[in-house]
Amino acid sequence: MTIADTVKCAPMRRTAMPLTLTPLLLDAGVDPAQTLVIRHAFVTEPEESGLTGLHADSTHAEILAYTATQSSDSRRFPAMPPRFWAVFIKEGGDQARLWSVVENRGEVARDDIRRTFDISETEHMTDLRGRLVIGWKSPRTWRMSGAAAGAYPVMGIADAEPIPFPGFDRLILSHVQLQAVMREHHYASWRTALSSVVGIYLITDTRDGRHYVGKADGEESVRQRWNAYATNGHGGNIELKKIDPSSFRFSLLRVFDPATPTRDINAAESHFKVALDSVKNGLNRN
């Protein structure tokens, strides 16, 4: 259980505990000393700045691009920005709502007006995106160090909106999505569904199309089996340990009631290994 879990409250209700941003960053594996905290506001940038503005209807991709483009003036943006940026969106005059935590992979372009950075979203604090609201004591300041912003109070953590389970036959997940399903509040119904069945699943390495056919049976539900992959990427499979799990795609081939005889599940597994040629030209060893 994370710190955020222990202080979850109704939307925008004030927290009773004197919680600040720092312990939430640390709990998510983000070092405040190596973090820049940004609060975007909905503004129209002056034309001479070379920067695009941001508005309430900006898309996710537009916000990411806006974040990646910064001023070349070191008085406006740090000359050596840290690895992680915790990005918030202004809410009212003295609050900010978490948008995402991104990783700065370095500057990729620069001119006299602007600098462009290679940034990508991380898995840090994904369960708090759009939910975490902090106080922002300096309304004229739009960025500061994580150490400074870390003292800002948590004003509320909104309840996560549940995401409906799509059904076993429509379930296709990347490794990042699988990790979210196993950890985040709004996928609770998905975990319940996956806990109720055993069966045959498929892992596809999207880089070369090779398949791995696996099974969850006996005392182990699909949720338990897939949680192992979410945790370490390979689930203990020797062949999969050699591969970066970021290219894996997970799906279900057939599900069974947990009372189904093991021989029936084994037969289904053997069938799919042959049908998908996962032993000779795939990732199964036998």
Side-chain angles (χ1 to χ4, degrees), residues 32 35-39 78 82 84 86 136-139 141-152:
T35 303
L36 179 70
V37 179
I38 295 172
R39 184 178 80 154
F84 293 113
W136 195 272
K137 300 177 183 178
S138 305
T141 302
W142 64 272
R143 52 93 180 167
M144 64 182 66
S145 69
Y152 279 2

Side-chain angles (χ1 to χ4, degrees), residues 12-281:
M12 300 337 320
R13 186 171 66 213
R14 300 282 177 167
T15 58
M17 299 175 60
L19 182 65
T20 62
L21 179 59
T22 288
L24 292 182
L25 290 171
L26 293 173
D27 194 47
V30 179
D31 181 358
Q34 300 296 322
T35 303
L36 179 70
V37 179
I38 295 172
R39 184 178 80 154
H40 289 321
F42 298 135
V43 295
T44 301
E45 294 283 351
E47 186 174 348
E48 61 271 18
S49 73
L51 304 174
T52 58
L54 202 64
H55 52 81
D57 295 323
S58 293
T59 66
H60 202 80
E62 287 171 340
I63 296 174
L64 187 66
Y66 181 80
T67 305
T69 306
Q70 298 293 339
S71 173
S72 292
D73 186 346
S74 60
R75 294 171 297 180
R76 297 190 62 192
F77 195 75
M80 298 291 290
R83 177 184 176 188
F84 293 113
W85 304 354
V87 182
F88 290 77
I89 303 295
K90 180 179 178 181
E91 187 151 303
D94 61 353
Q95 295 185 357
R97 185 180 294 271
L98 179 66
W99 177 72
S100 189
V101 176
V102 302
E103 180 180 6
N104 165 32
R105 297 178 176 175
E107 184 179 310
V108 293
R110 176 199 286 256
D111 57 29
D112 292 338
I113 297 175
R114 60 192 170 192
R115 303 162 69 191
T116 303
F117 294 86
D118 176 15
I119 64 172
S120 63
E121 288 190 84
T122 71
E123 297 173 21
H124 299 294
M125 302 180 79
T126 54
D127 61 330
L128 294 177
R129 290 178 188 171
R131 300 175 56 215
L132 170 64
V133 175
I134 63 172
W136 195 272
K137 300 177 183 178
S138 305
R140 292 176 180 245
T141 302
W142 64 272
R143 52 93 180 167
M144 64 182 66
S145 69
Y152 279 2
V154 171
M155 308 305 292
I157 300 175
D159 288 331
E161 290 293 329
I163 298 176
F165 181 63
F168 297 117
D169 58 345
R170 296 183 180 180
L171 197 60
I172 300 176
L173 303 170
S174 68
H175 187 249
V176 169
Q177 290 171 325
L178 178 66
Q179 290 177 314
V181 166
M182 292 297 153
R183 298 171 184 171
E184 296 180 15
H185 301 295
H186 47 265
Y187 289 108
S189 66
W190 298 42
R191 293 191 292 273
T192 299
L194 295 173
S195 295
S196 69
V197 295
V198 295
I200 311 302
Y201 59 87
L202 180 70
I203 301 175
T204 301
D205 184 350
T206 57
R207 285 174 297 195
D208 55 24
R210 291 186 298 166
H211 296 308
Y212 176 87
V213 175
K215 67 177 178 179
D217 61 359
E219 298 293 324
E220 188 176 50
S221 67
V222 172
R223 174 186 174 179
Q224 290 171 303
R225 191 74 194 101
W226 278 13
N227 188 57
Y229 292 110
T231 301
N232 59 31
H234 53 74
N237 302 117
I238 295 175
E239 199 67 27
L240 299 185
K241 288 181 178 180
K242 306 173 184 177
I243 306 171
D244 181 352
S246 64
S247 64
F248 288 170
R249 186 176 64 201
F250 297 78
S251 59
L252 289 167
L253 296 173
R254 188 175 176 185
V255 296
F256 298 89
D257 183 278
T260 303
T262 301
R263 64 177 180 275
D264 293 346
I265 300 174
N266 289 341
E269 180 188 27
S270 298
H271 164 75
F272 283 113
K273 284 180 178 178
V274 173
L276 295 168
D277 197 18
S278 66
V279 176
K280 182 178 179 181
N281 292 302

